[in-house]
């Protein structure tokens, strides 16, 4: 489901978040509507790529008590994320990957 989700794009390049760079569950990371994103050229990463970092909110994984869904949004905490170009993902450690991030105004009812 990609309703009320956003993707990060710089020029023609779409970005993704990998578990390698981001602590916790990447599927719970939400971008604030007015957040500031910063790009940086990283010569030693994935053969030299531009990464994007920024502040976000991450849904906490507590309070589910084994439930698949819940009626209220998950509590969130601030987190800094790092995104890499989608074309370069899955070239380091195994882990989750996410392109479509939730809008911070729409904290997930799932993780």
């Amino acid at each position: 489901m990609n309703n009320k989700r956003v993707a990060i794009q710089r020029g023609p390049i779409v970005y993704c978040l990998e578990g390698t760079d981001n602590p916790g569950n990447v599927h719970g990371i939400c971008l604030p509507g007015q957040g500031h994103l910063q790009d940086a050229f990283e010569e030693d990463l994935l053969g030299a790529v531009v990464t994007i970092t920024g502040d976000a909110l991450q849904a906490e994984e507590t309070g589910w008590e084994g439930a698949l869904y819940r009626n209220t949004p998950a509590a969130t905490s601030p987190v800094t994320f790092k995104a890499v170009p989608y074309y370069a993902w899955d070239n380091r450690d195994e882990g989750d990957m996410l392109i479509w991030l939730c809008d911070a105004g729409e904290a997930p009812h799932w993780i």
Side-chain angles (χ1 to χ4, degrees), residues 2-6 101-104 106:
N2 292 330
N3 292 340
K4 299 182 182 178
R5 291 193 167 246
V6 295
L101 296 96
C102 71
D103 181 313
E106 298 292 331

Side-chain angles (χ1 to χ4, degrees), residues 10-34:
R10 181 178 183 267
I13 307 297
V14 173
Y15 281 73
C16 67
L17 278 64
E18 289 189 278
T20 299
D21 301 311
N22 299 282
N25 181 6
V26 296
H27 297 283
I29 295 179
C30 301
L31 290 181
Q34 300 299 319

Side-chain angles (χ1 to χ4, degrees), residues 23-68:
N25 181 6
V26 296
H27 297 283
I29 295 179
C30 301
L31 290 181
Q34 300 299 319
H36 177 72
L37 302 178
Q38 180 67 42
D39 61 343
F41 178 69
E42 295 195 36
E43 187 173 339
D44 297 329
L45 181 65
L46 298 167
V49 297
V50 174
T51 60
I52 296 178
T53 57
D55 295 327
L57 296 173
Q58 187 171 43
E60 296 179 9
E61 295 180 278
T62 59
W64 291 91
E65 287 77 43
L68 182 59

Side-chain angles (χ1 to χ4, degrees), residues 43-100:
E43 187 173 339
D44 297 329
L45 181 65
L46 298 167
V49 297
V50 174
T51 60
I52 296 178
T53 57
D55 295 327
L57 296 173
Q58 187 171 43
E60 296 179 9
E61 295 180 278
T62 59
W64 291 91
E65 287 77 43
L68 182 59
Y69 297 99
R70 59 200 254 173
N71 294 327
T72 58
T76 59
S77 56
V79 65
T80 299
F81 73 88
K82 180 177 187 174
V84 298
Y86 174 70
Y87 70 79
W89 81 278
D90 203 23
N91 285 290
R92 296 176 288 163
D93 299 329
E94 288 185 26
D96 290 337
M97 184 276 290
L98 182 68
I99 296 173
W100 292 100

